[in-house]
Amino acid sequence: MCGIVGYVGRAEAPRALLQGLRRLEYRGYDSAGIATLNGAGIAVRKSVGRIADLERLVAEKPIHGHTGICHTRWATHGAVTQENAHPHFDQSGRLAIVHNGVIENYLDLRAALEEEGHVFRSQTDTEVLAHLVGREFDRQPAHTKGALVEALRTALGQVIGTYGIAMIHQDVPGVLIGARRGSPLVLGIGKGENLLASDAAAMVSHTRDVVYLKDYELAALDADGFQITTLQGDGAGYEISQVEYTEKDVSKGDYPHYMLKEIFEQSGTVRDAMRGRLVLDEATAKLGGLEMSNAELRDVERVVITGCGTALHAGMVGEYMIETLAHIPVECEFASELRYRNLPLPKDTLVFAISQSGETADTLAALRESQRKGHRTLGICNNVGSTIARESDGGVYMHAGPEIGVAATKSFTSQLVVQALIALLLGRLTHLSHSEGLNIIRELDKLPDKVAKALELNDEIARIARKYAQAKVMLFMGRQFNYPIALEGALKVKETSYIAASAHPSAELKHGVIALIDEATPSVFIAPRDAVFEKNLSNIEEVKARKGPVIAIGTEGDDHLGHVADDVILVPEAPDFLTPILTVLPLQLLAYHIAVELGRDVDKPRNLAKSVTVE
Ligand code: F6R
């Protein structure tokens, strides 16, 4: 939520900053701003709207300099206006700051500063932070880099809340300062240039060597080096890691949208999620990152899976997978609820936190709450080095590569594959036989080709999408493994098309939802050839009897659905527990094409941000 980039080096900062900011647009896009040290002072440009609007402004009224910061905003405090766009300045106008996070006690701090004569130009919590740091800096005996770090340290000591910060001061040219608590901040270590950003994706055109700043750490960067210290003022150890992906991975390539590109990457990402993790000899999965012995895994009495949005839907499929293959009771719970719920859980409960970004505030809080209660926590994350990945006791990376479209697609199928591997591992340690394990491995191995085959339905799905794009309401129905897929299909349509879509277990229709059925309300049934196929079929008949149009997602070779549904999309067959990895693909494409048909901003739907780092 909110994207930050900072640059210090020998190149023109605005170019590097705006290029980086474009890569972070998925984090928020209400307004954007940029500030550079230009020798005479601080040059600033801000605009309401997309980053393209800021780029236009900078092209019309160029700014220069070799040190600068920029920001793309997802509003929390204060309306979407130019005044509230970052960067914000201190009282002297010589310090500029960009911030991601929430300063909870900003009203008290603001009132105290106003008493001292400070004048504020915006309604944001960030401007209060800028004034606070500026005041501390002006109290320092000398205006050096060390003094600026010290001023930030003192100011942060007065702040309650979360922050990822980048800051410049005209009295300390060629220096960029950052700090983090609860909002990600990454240092990019280049040659003759160094960067700061809320996501490494913003920096890959410059460097793939990064340092993930930890909570309560401050960084001071110049063109040739950097120092990291703690909020207490001690030196901090750090590790330079290599970002796995390249610039090509974060560009759209020939696709019109990131969402479509990422949908089409899934044959590869499904393969990558299991690469090196299937052990044929032992007919099991090897997941070293769990950091648990077989004996410890065998002792697991209960599993809790948590996450938000799409990640939660993946967890709901995981619940069915683990219960089916490993016979361990599983509870899947919204992270936003789990964090405040005092679940009575046995001691040997394993808590999985699923998160593509690894930064979602509610998921992180649920993870921390589980740790407080003494449960072992495992992260299923995509972003390497993210907070959830670092704070959990172990975990499994998805290896899906950067996901930039705001609507999650490829991360979802990777989350399903990872959970299938976990279910296989747990199952093989309890009651699954060697041959059952081997069968599962063979089926997993076939998935990437089946995914590719399902995606060949794209043109047909685009045709169906055009037919139903004008619907005001859409219903999604499924059962068992595919009920969470109905939820996911409805979420994809809601967020990309703004159509009111709701999802229900098919059998729940009769208990109320059926009142919505009419000729203008399409129902999407996820009805593969599984153990509940016939039941789904009867539910489809109930809708047809009331003249509701039906789109059915079924299994290749099926000849029943064609008789009852108006439009049928058939995906390759798979064992019941793996069908969600295939049935979700047409739903992603359906949502995509409806959104395109309606002229929506597919990659950046209104009001959304990809990484929700506030509660
Ligand atoms: C939906 C979507 C969101 C995220 C949710 C959790 O397409 O993207 O619902 O799934 O905000 O995000 P992560 O997985 O980063 O924790």
Side-chain angles (χ1 to χ4, degrees):
M1 224 148 218
C2 297
I4 291 175
V5 191
Y7 176 89
V8 56
R10 297 187 173 85
E12 268 292 304
R15 198 168 167 270
L17 291 170
L18 289 171
Q19 182 188 42
L21 203 60
R22 269 212 160 274
R23 303 254 187 265
L24 299 189
E25 194 163 19
Y26 68 88
R27 298 183 69 94
Y29 29 83
D30 297 335
S31 51
I34 180 169
T36 54
L37 294 176
N38 64 3
I42 299 182
V44 63
R45 302 284 180 267
K46 296 184 190 189
S47 78
V48 169
R50 300 295 161 98
I51 289 165
D53 297 306
L54 179 67
E55 285 174 330
R56 258 192 300 279
L57 182 66
V58 173
E60 281 162 21
K61 294 184 182 168
I63 56 171
H64 300 285
H66 302 291
T67 309
I69 52 178
C70 64
H71 186 267
T72 177
R73 182 168 186 244
W74 190 91
T76 55
H77 292 69
V80 179
T81 61
Q82 190 158 329
E83 294 73 44
N84 287 339
H86 300 214
H88 289 287
F89 287 79
D90 72 335
Q91 177 77 358
S92 75
R94 295 181 351 262
L95 174 150
I97 206 166
V98 289
H99 164 228
N100 174 20
V102 176
I103 307 299
E104 290 166 18
N105 59 337
Y106 83 106
L107 285 174
D108 292 344
L109 293 170
R110 181 173 169 141
L113 286 160
E114 277 171 340
E115 288 253 306
E116 292 174 25
H118 286 246
V119 178
F120 291 88
R121 295 168 195 85
S122 77
Q123 287 83 50
T124 63
D125 51 343
T126 305
E127 192 184 4
V128 174
L129 191 59
H131 279 241
L132 212 53
V133 185
R135 183 187 67 177
E136 296 305 329
F137 185 62
D138 289 340
R139 287 174 176 170
Q140 300 284 323
H143 280 187
T144 58
K145 176 162 81 172
L148 191 53
V149 174
E150 207 41 55
L152 178 60
R153 185 172 285 130
T154 312
L156 292 179
Q158 300 164 51
V159 152
I160 301 169
T162 55
Y163 48 79
I165 293 167
M167 182 177 90
I168 52 175
H169 198 296
Q170 73 179 61
D171 295 1
V172 192
V175 171
L176 175 65
I177 308 284
R180 92 158 254 177
R181 180 185 175 246
S183 293
L185 205 58
V186 192
L187 272 65
I189 316 304
K191 291 193 175 57
E193 58 181 10
N194 287 305
L195 298 98
L196 266 180
S198 29
D199 187 328
M203 311 187 288
V204 284
S205 321
H206 294 262
T207 178
R208 288 168 66 197
D209 291 335
V210 298
V211 175
Y212 295 98
L213 216 60
K214 300 186 204 73
D215 274 351
Y216 304 108
E217 284 184 349
L218 282 70
L221 298 81
D222 57 32
D224 300 307
F226 64 93
Q227 297 86 41
I228 300 178
T229 51
T230 65
L231 200 54
Q232 282 74 42
D234 306 319
Y238 61 83
E239 206 180 300
I240 299 186
S241 7
Q242 272 259 312
V243 179
E244 280 180 358
Y245 49 86
T246 64
E247 198 179 354
K248 186 169 155 279
D249 297 315
V250 290
S251 71
K252 265 197 298 229
D254 293 333
Y255 287 91
H257 299 101
Y258 280 108
M259 184 178 175
L260 191 63
K261 176 184 181 229
E262 288 157 7
I263 290 174
F264 272 93
E265 280 173 356
Q266 288 176 101
S267 172
T269 51
V270 159
R271 165 104 38 230
D272 289 343
M274 52 185 139
R275 195 184 295 283
R277 291 172 167 169
L278 297 175
V279 189
L280 272 174
D281 278 0
E282 296 169 38
T284 188
K286 185 179 83 189
L287 298 167
L290 295 183
E291 313 252 0
M292 288 177 75
S293 67
N294 284 351
E296 286 171 321
L297 287 167
R298 231 175 264 121
D299 281 345
V300 172
E301 275 185 58
R302 197 175 182 88
V303 170
V304 171
I305 307 178
T306 194
C308 302
T310 289
L312 184 85
H313 298 157
M316 291 170 76
V317 179
E319 174 177 356
Y320 285 103
M321 284 175 169
I322 294 173
E323 288 189 345
T324 305
L325 299 189
H327 294 188
I328 299 171
V330 183
E331 177 145 4
C332 185
E333 175 70 298
F334 292 102
S336 54
E337 292 296 311
L338 185 64
R339 63 183 292 186
Y340 295 117
R341 211 179 137 187
N342 209 7
L343 268 183
L345 293 169
K347 201 169 142 290
D348 285 318
T349 297
L350 197 53
V351 178
F352 285 102
I354 307 185
S355 175
Q356 187 284 129
S357 62
E359 303 292 349
T360 299
D362 282 324
T363 312
L364 181 59
L367 176 102
R368 287 176 177 160
E369 184 60 24
S370 306
Q371 285 175 333
R372 188 171 298 119
K373 301 281 161 54
H375 302 304
R376 192 190 284 260
T377 57
L378 299 172
I380 301 179
C381 297
N382 191 33
N383 258 359
V384 176
S386 55
T387 311
I388 293 174
R390 280 193 283 107
E391 288 200 11
S392 44
D393 302 312
V396 189
Y397 276 121
M398 302 171 201
H399 296 306
E403 189 178 66
I404 293 170
V406 165
T409 51
K410 62 176 177 173
S411 63
F412 179 73
T413 44
S414 298
Q415 287 157 3
L416 298 189
V417 172
V418 165
Q419 291 179 101
L421 299 180
I422 292 169
L424 168 64
L425 171 65
L426 291 172
R428 282 288 291 134
L429 289 172
T430 48
H431 67 282
L432 278 183
S433 70
H434 187 277
S435 71
E436 284 168 323
L438 216 49
N439 275 341
I440 291 171
I441 289 185
R442 288 199 188 104
E443 291 296 342
L444 281 165
D445 200 44
K446 286 186 220 159
L447 271 178
D449 289 342
K450 292 184 182 180
V451 168
K453 187 132 188 275
L455 292 173
E456 286 170 12
L457 299 165
N458 184 38
D459 291 345
E460 173 62 2
I461 295 168
R463 183 194 64 76
I464 296 172
R466 282 193 290 275
K467 186 167 158 192
Y468 296 103
Q470 302 309 324
K472 296 281 172 277
V473 176
M474 284 183 82
L475 301 173
F476 287 74
M477 255 80 67
R479 301 181 80 129
Q480 301 286 299
F481 285 103
N482 283 286
Y483 165 53
I485 300 306
L487 286 166
E488 179 57 9
L491 179 63
K492 289 286 92 85
V493 163
K494 272 183 277 207
E495 64 181 334
T496 59
S497 298
Y498 321 147
I499 292 175
S502 65
H504 312 272
S506 311
E508 281 292 303
L509 252 182
K510 297 187 276 299
H511 301 287
V513 185
I514 203 158
L516 293 175
I517 303 292
D518 63 19
E519 285 170 14
T521 305
S523 296
V524 181
F525 273 86
I526 300 103
R529 272 265 173 204
D530 59 8
V532 288
F533 175 70
E534 277 78 18
K535 308 280 175 202
N536 258 318
L537 218 49
S538 323
N539 299 133
I540 295 177
E541 299 273 14
E542 287 157 10
V543 171
K544 283 315 302 171
R546 287 156 183 88
K547 297 195 169 50
V550 170
I551 306 162
I553 315 291
T555 303
E556 271 176 8
D558 181 280
D559 50 9
H560 289 72
L561 290 171
H563 296 296
V564 285
D566 299 84
D567 292 280
V568 178
I569 302 165
L570 300 179
V571 298
E573 63 73 41
D576 289 9
F577 77 101
L578 292 180
T579 54
I581 297 169
L582 299 166
T583 52
V584 76
L585 305 170
L587 301 185
Q588 295 171 344
L589 285 168
L590 188 69
Y592 171 79
H593 288 295
I594 291 178
V596 169
E597 184 65 17
L598 294 175
R600 305 292 192 230
D601 193 345
V602 176
D603 284 333
K604 297 183 281 293
R606 69 185 181 201
N607 305 337
L608 290 177
K610 187 148 186 78
S611 174
V612 184
T613 53
V614 294
E615 187 175 353

